[in-house]
Structure formats: structure tokens, C-alpha cells
């Protein structure tokens, strides 16, 4: 599917929806926002809810800071589809919007998001056992599917998610779309991961690797991780690439958490 075709589908989804949910990754919500899609939602004057998934991977202080920032933009709700937390609050928020439109039989909810933010798992969490696919609407793009989630909510499931630019390797790696073995510049990816911890929770980084960050630079942190983990080349030099890949793999597997 071309980028042009995809954005045509996104536009159709927004037009047909009563409310739009943008799914974000709690570890990096600002990186997983798509401003173009948000502008389209605003242009069509539709309510936007930012659903911040993977809340279980961050600490309370980090979550509160993100909530303050995102709330300045629009309504945001933190959830964890893995732990089934926050789903009831999200449903209540959706139904509040429905109550403002008493003529609605079901409120139509379009769901958009980048890869690996949890769009499909969110659809399953909202719909639960009452999930029922509805016949495709005549004239609507092939592959776009409405799903009834009980008597009050109808979800719009798109064929795929907002695509990432092929050249954006760091973002692809952070989202787990690009396997660490295929990353051309693992240093840049590891550097961004470390920067997230320095900005938000360096204590969690120290605890994970048994190091002291202090005022160390990225290179100093990487070298200390290499020393503690005995990641050495012949001659006793730190195997920097190996350290980069360990950091990336720990992040992608959800073992490097932004919480103590």
C-alpha cells in the first residue's frame, strides 16, 4: 500500500468516525504521535482521545509528567492492554461522548496508530467477547472493517497502521518494528534509548545495569555497562556494538523499563 493510499484511508476513517483514538506508546508518547493525523482530526472537527498504551512499562512519575504534557493537547487516558488496566475508564470516556448524541445507536470509534503501539490489542480489549464484525459499507475502501463492541460502541479497524518513513531507522527500532540485527546504526538507537532514561528516570537505568550514571556522557555510560557486563574484545577493549545491541534488545523485549 502506497503512502498516498494509506492517507486516503485514514481520511475516510476520520470522516466516518464520531470520535478518533490515537494509540501511543507510554515510553515515548511524543515520538509516537502523528501530527498530520491529528491535524486531519481537527480539520474534520472530531473529538480526539490519545490512548497511551503500555502504562505497565513506566513509573508513576514518568506517567504523570506525560499526562500533564499530553493533556494540554487533548484528552488522554493511560492503559495497559497487557495487564487489562484502564480499559473501563476508556469505555466510560467513549460513552460520555455517545450520551451527548442521544440519536446515536452506537458511537463510531476510529482507531489509528503507529506499528507496535497496540492498536489491535486495544480493539480486542474494548470489544472483548462481544466482538462481532459488521458487513463492509458499500463504497468504502476494501479492507476497512467495522467491529461491533457490544450495543453501544462500533470500532473501525483499518487495514494496517500509520506507516513509518522507511528512512526513520531510530523510530522503527524504538517501536520494535525493526529487529536489532537489521539496524545499520545501532549507536544512534542506543543513544536515543539512553537519552530517554536520562530525561525521565536514570535510576531505572542504573538499577537495570548495576551502574552509576552521575554526570557521565552517553559514551561513558556505554563503557561502564560494557565493563560491568564483561563485554570485551580481545585486548580488553569494550565491545561497543555488543553493548548497543544489548541495550536495544532489552528495550524491545520490555526488559528495560522506565520505572524503578
Amino acid at each position: 500500500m502506497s503512502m498516498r493510499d494509506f492517507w486516503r484511508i485514514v481520511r475516510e476513517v476520520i470522516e466516518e468516525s464520531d470520535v478518533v483514538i490515537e494509540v501511543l506508546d507510554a515510553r515515548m508518547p511524543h515520538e509516537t504521535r502523528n501530527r498530520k493525523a491529528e491535524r486531519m482530526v481537527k480539520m474534520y472537527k472530531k473529538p480526539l482521545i490519545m490512548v497511551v498504551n503500555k502504562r505497565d512499562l513506566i513509573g508513576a512519575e514518568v506517567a504523570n509528567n506525560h499526562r500533564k504534557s499530553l493533556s494540554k493537547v487533548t484528552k488522554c487516558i493511560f492503559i495497559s492492554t497487557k495487564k487489562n488496566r484502564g480499559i473501563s475508564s476508556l469505555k466510560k470516556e467513549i460513552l460520555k461522548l455517545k450520551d451527548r448524541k442521544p440519536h446515536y445507536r452506537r458511537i463510531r470509534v476510529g482507531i489509528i496508530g503507529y506499528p507496535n503501539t497496540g492498536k489491535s490489542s486495544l480493539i480486542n480489549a474494548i470489544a472483548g467477547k462481544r466482538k462481532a464484525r459488521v458487513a463492509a459499507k458499500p463504497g468504502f475502501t476494501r479492507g476497512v472493517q467495522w467491529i461491533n463492541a457490544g450495543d453501544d460502541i462500533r470500532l473501525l479497524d483499518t487495514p494496517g497502521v500509520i506507516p513509518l518513513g522507511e528512512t526513520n531507522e531510530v523510530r522503527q527500532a524504538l517501536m520494535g518494528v525493526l529487529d536489532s540485527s537489521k539496524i545499520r546504526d545501532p549507536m544512534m538507537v542506543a543513544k536515543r534509548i539512553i537519552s530517554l532514561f536520562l530525561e525521565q528516570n536514570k535510576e531505572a537505568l542504573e538499577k537495570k545495569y548495576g551502574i552509576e550514571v552521575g554526570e557521565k556522557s552517553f559514551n561513558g555510560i556505554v563503557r561502564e555497562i560494557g565493563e560491568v557486563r564483561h563485554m570485551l574484545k580481545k585486548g580488553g577493549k569494550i565491545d561497543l556494538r555488543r553493548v548497543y545491541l544489548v541495550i536495544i534488545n532489552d528495550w524491545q523485549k520490555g526488559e528495560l523499563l522506565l520505572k524503578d
Side-chain angles (χ1 to χ4, degrees):
M1 182 185 297
S2 70
M3 192 72 79
R4 182 178 179 181
D5 287 341
F6 190 89
W7 283 110
R8 177 174 52 79
I9 292 174
V10 171
R11 183 173 286 104
E12 287 184 359
V13 169
I14 293 170
E15 287 178 340
E16 289 292 319
S17 299
D18 301 311
V19 58
V20 177
I21 286 176
E22 183 179 23
V23 187
L24 309 178
D25 186 321
R27 299 172 296 174
M28 44 182 182
H30 295 288
E31 285 90 341
T32 47
R33 286 179 58 190
N34 188 285
R35 271 67 171 183
K36 180 176 179 178
E38 292 171 14
R39 287 194 298 271
M40 290 173 66
V41 174
K42 186 176 182 179
M43 181 180 72
Y44 283 100
K45 299 181 179 179
K46 301 296 177 73
L48 173 68
I49 301 174
M50 290 180 177
V51 172
V52 189
N53 191 23
K54 305 184 184 181
R55 167 64 181 82
D56 53 301
L57 299 183
I58 63 173
E61 185 176 353
V62 173
N64 288 335
N65 289 336
H66 287 328
R67 184 177 287 108
K68 288 177 184 177
S69 177
L70 294 172
S71 294
K72 294 177 182 178
V73 181
T74 190
K75 181 72 178 181
C76 69
I77 297 175
F78 282 70
I79 70 165
S80 169
T81 54
K82 184 177 180 180
K83 302 290 186 179
N84 196 32
R85 294 174 183 165
I87 305 302
S88 295
S89 297
L90 174 59
K91 286 183 178 179
K92 288 178 182 176
E93 190 63 31
I94 293 171
L95 293 177
K96 281 182 188 177
L97 295 170
K98 179 181 181 295
D99 291 342
R100 295 174 193 170
K101 303 285 186 179
H103 61 281
Y104 287 165
R105 181 186 173 192
R106 289 187 176 95
I107 188 168
R108 300 167 299 180
V109 183
I111 300 180
I112 60 177
Y114 276 121
N116 281 9
T117 52
K119 182 180 74 74
S120 296
S121 59
L122 175 61
I123 289 172
N124 291 332
I126 293 174
K129 295 179 180 179
R130 304 188 73 182
K131 181 176 178 180
R133 292 192 176 273
V134 181
K137 180 178 177 179
F140 212 52
T141 300
R142 182 180 180 182
V144 176
Q145 182 70 57
W146 287 106
I147 298 170
N148 283 344
D151 296 330
D152 298 308
I153 300 173
R154 178 171 286 183
L155 307 171
L156 183 51
D157 186 15
T158 55
V161 290
I162 296 174
L164 288 162
E166 293 180 2
T167 59
N168 199 331
E169 183 179 74
V170 173
R171 187 180 286 188
Q172 288 183 2
L174 286 174
M175 293 183 188
V177 177
L178 184 64
D179 187 83
S180 61
S181 63
K182 298 179 181 178
I183 297 173
R184 289 169 294 184
D185 191 352
M187 183 195 77
M188 292 303 296
V189 179
K191 191 172 186 177
R192 181 57 186 139
I193 293 171
I194 294 297
S195 72
L196 287 171
F197 282 85
L198 296 182
E199 293 164 4
Q200 301 177 42
N201 193 344
K202 68 179 182 180
E203 291 79 11
L205 184 69
E206 292 175 326
K207 184 177 179 181
K208 171 64 179 177
Y209 294 114
I211 64 173
E212 290 186 11
V213 171
E215 299 300 321
K216 292 185 180 73
S217 65
F218 166 70
N219 289 332
I221 292 170
V222 167
R223 290 184 179 281
E224 186 167 352
I225 293 174
E227 290 173 1
V228 170
R229 294 292 182 93
H230 306 291
M231 300 179 194
L232 307 175
K233 294 180 179 179
K234 289 182 179 179
K237 290 185 177 180
I238 303 294
D239 189 340
L240 297 177
R241 181 178 176 83
R242 186 179 169 196
V243 179
Y244 300 151
L245 293 176
V246 164
I247 293 168
I248 294 167
N249 284 326
D250 286 345
W251 173 268
Q252 290 186 342
K253 292 176 183 177
E255 296 174 1
L256 181 54
L257 309 180
L258 277 164
K259 64 180 182 179
D260 300 333

